Amino acid sequence: MAELQLTGLAPRAALRAVRQALEQADVPDAAFDARELYRLAVGKDPRLDISPLTAEEAASLAALTARRAGREPLQYIAGQWDFLDFTLAVGPGVLCPRADTEVVCEAAVKLLQASGNPTPTVLDLCAGTGCLGLGIKRFVPGARVTCWEKSPEALAYLRRNARQALPGAEVAVREGDVLTDWQTLPPESADLIVSNPPYLTGAEMQALMPETAREPAMALDGGADGLVFYRCLTGPWKQILRPGGWLVLEIGYEQREAVLALGAENGWVNGSCRQDYGGNDRAVLLQKPRNRE
Ligand code: GLN
């Protein structure tokens, strides 16, 4: 892409040029992204700004536009992204927090609030930025939350978010591999497990959007059928939950039946599914039977 020449342009004209450059690069939602890039480069909302761009602002906006036109995720360019009502550090090496995931967090929070236990023990497995574990801590402040993550690059963001995203709130971070580390925990020690595991199938991994291809494969690749992590989470992790405890899982939009079936095979009860705000199946909830059930 030729470098955009934006110096001296009025905000609206600059915005239009950025949007057109993004459209030419097939960026979805080019108008939204153009406004975000303007805000990042100029520090003002383009719809409220009236001053023509200085040379410095123009150079910065042109550079950000070139990165986005190269299909770098907007979240990586911004370096931070909102989830629910707080902000997370994000960048190359960690999965971007997505609005789709908010419904998973809300489902877990509702279960915890209904449980009547103000200090539940919660595990967020495959935590990435920590959006789920931190979201639970945000709305259930007494929860004892531990976020687990395997990737060293993702752990750097997770540790930073655990310190900074919710000032004053303490969330533990553990480096570990979800596929084996259930062996390190005492049985029946958790009240709720939440996870947004890697769940894309082999075929989906071959057909990623350019932005998703820049995100870590480790956070996306759920094995040939996409279900490797669900087998482990509904299998051996079950013994880590206390009877009556809940497993709350983000799923791909076509995985509801497969994950509910894994739950039934492994003896979970009260399986259900919630949709995200785009109307897609997104969260599966499974309960470990109480002893008398
Ligand atoms: N929702 C992501 C996507 O479709 C996948 C996230 C995951 O595998 N946990 O790009």
Side-chain angles (χ1 to χ4, degrees):
M1 189 186 94
E3 176 97 336
L4 285 176
Q5 298 304 326
L6 303 169
T7 306
L9 288 189
R12 274 169 198 282
L15 197 60
R16 197 174 321 116
V18 170
R19 195 191 69 220
Q20 283 165 357
L22 297 182
E23 279 166 358
Q24 271 164 26
D26 286 331
V27 170
D29 257 336
F32 174 85
D33 287 27
R35 283 197 297 276
E36 286 301 307
L37 295 178
Y38 187 100
R39 243 192 291 270
L40 286 167
V42 181
K44 290 183 224 159
D45 187 309
R47 290 164 297 189
L48 305 176
D49 193 12
I50 46 164
S51 344
L53 267 69
T54 65
E56 203 183 323
E57 289 166 344
S60 162
L61 182 54
L64 297 185
T65 304
R67 285 171 64 186
R68 187 70 192 97
R71 306 300 294 270
E72 190 175 337
L74 181 62
Q75 294 92 327
Y76 286 178
I77 296 171
Q80 58 177 39
W81 203 250
D82 291 345
F83 184 80
L84 297 168
D85 65 352
F86 54 96
T87 304
L88 294 159
V90 59
V94 72
L95 190 77
C96 299
R98 288 157 161 72
D100 297 346
T101 303
E102 292 180 348
V103 71
V104 183
C105 193
E106 285 164 2
V109 166
K110 273 191 200 147
L111 290 170
L112 291 170
Q113 287 171 340
S115 78
N117 175 3
T119 58
T121 297
V122 174
L123 307 178
D124 175 0
L125 305 179
C126 311
T129 55
C131 58
L132 284 171
L134 286 159
I136 287 173
K137 185 73 182 168
R138 165 74 182 83
F139 294 103
V140 186
R144 291 179 280 239
V145 178
T146 305
C147 295
W148 292 56
E149 177 53 51
K150 177 180 175 188
S151 146
E153 292 82 22
L155 269 165
Y157 293 101
L158 177 57
R159 292 207 167 98
R160 190 162 147 203
N161 287 326
R163 276 196 313 272
Q164 294 178 355
L166 302 177
E170 262 184 55
V171 167
V173 172
R174 258 186 83 160
E175 179 168 8
D177 185 340
V178 164
L179 294 180
T180 52
D181 282 3
W182 48 273
Q183 300 171 69
T184 66
L185 285 180
E188 304 194 358
S189 54
D191 296 293
L192 183 140
I193 294 175
V194 68
S195 181
N196 174 13
Y199 57 65
L200 299 188
T201 64
E204 286 168 332
M205 288 301 294
Q206 296 303 312
L208 295 176
M209 301 246 303
E211 286 80 2
T212 317
R214 301 279 197 106
E215 295 184 275
M218 195 199 280
L220 299 166
D221 184 354
D225 67 358
L227 300 175
V228 165
F229 284 81
Y230 299 121
R231 285 193 191 91
C232 183
L233 290 161
T234 57
W237 278 96
K238 189 171 166 214
Q239 63 198 277
I240 307 305
L241 273 182
R242 65 160 177 79
W246 288 91
L247 177 62
V248 179
L249 300 169
E250 175 161 330
I251 59 161
Y253 71 108
E254 294 177 318
Q255 290 175 320
R256 174 174 53 108
E257 279 173 32
V259 175
L260 285 171
L262 279 173
E265 270 165 43
N266 286 295
W268 297 79
V269 294
N270 296 324
S272 65
C273 180
R274 304 266 183 285
Q275 271 98 46
D276 62 24
Y277 297 106
N280 292 311
D281 288 337
R282 192 58 65 196
V284 160
L285 287 58
L286 297 165
Q287 188 174 27
K288 179 165 167 173
R290 292 178 199 282
N291 286 332
R292 62 190 150 68
E293 277 168 344

